[in-house]
Amino acid sequence: MYIILILSVTDIEIKRDGKKGRDVLGKGFLIQAFEDKTKQVEIDNFSVAMGFEILEDSLVETGQFVKDYVDCEGKEYLKGV
């Protein structure tokens, strides 16, 4: 059995494609997934930006997005571990 530990860090310079194809810097979270509690082996990282993946600056909404993402990617995580 593998444990996936998720850390989130507030990020203020997440780049996304805005309207008309222009880059937009936004606020959100950097999410890191590790193999276990030691945090020695990172198995994934991704950003979650307000107004794109999440609607508001909320740990509850961010947590739900991460849960959904991990549920979708879980099989891939287990292959790599």
Side-chain angles (χ1 to χ4, degrees), residues 11-16 24-28 49-50:
D11 193 346
I12 57 171
E13 294 187 358
I14 299 173
K15 189 190 311 187
R16 293 291 186 262
V24 175
L25 292 180
K27 185 177 176 185
M50 283 192 317

Side-chain angles (χ1 to χ4, degrees), residues 5-6 25 33 35 41 45 50:
L5 176 67
I6 306 289
L25 292 180
E35 183 178 89
V41 180
N45 68 63
M50 283 192 317

Side-chain angles (χ1 to χ4, degrees), residues 30-75:
L30 169 65
I31 311 297
Q32 296 171 281
F34 295 93
E35 183 178 89
D36 59 26
K37 292 180 192 178
T38 66
K39 298 182 225 166
Q40 297 292 320
V41 180
E42 182 181 276
I43 56 176
D44 196 7
N45 68 63
F46 56 94
S47 296
V48 178
M50 283 192 317
F52 292 88
E53 292 85 13
I54 56 175
L55 297 177
E56 56 188 46
D57 186 7
S58 158
L59 288 177
V60 172
E61 188 167 345
T62 301
Q64 184 61 51
F65 179 86
V66 170
K67 180 187 175 305
D68 294 344
Y69 182 87
V70 169
D71 286 347
C72 290
E73 298 293 323
K75 291 179 184 173

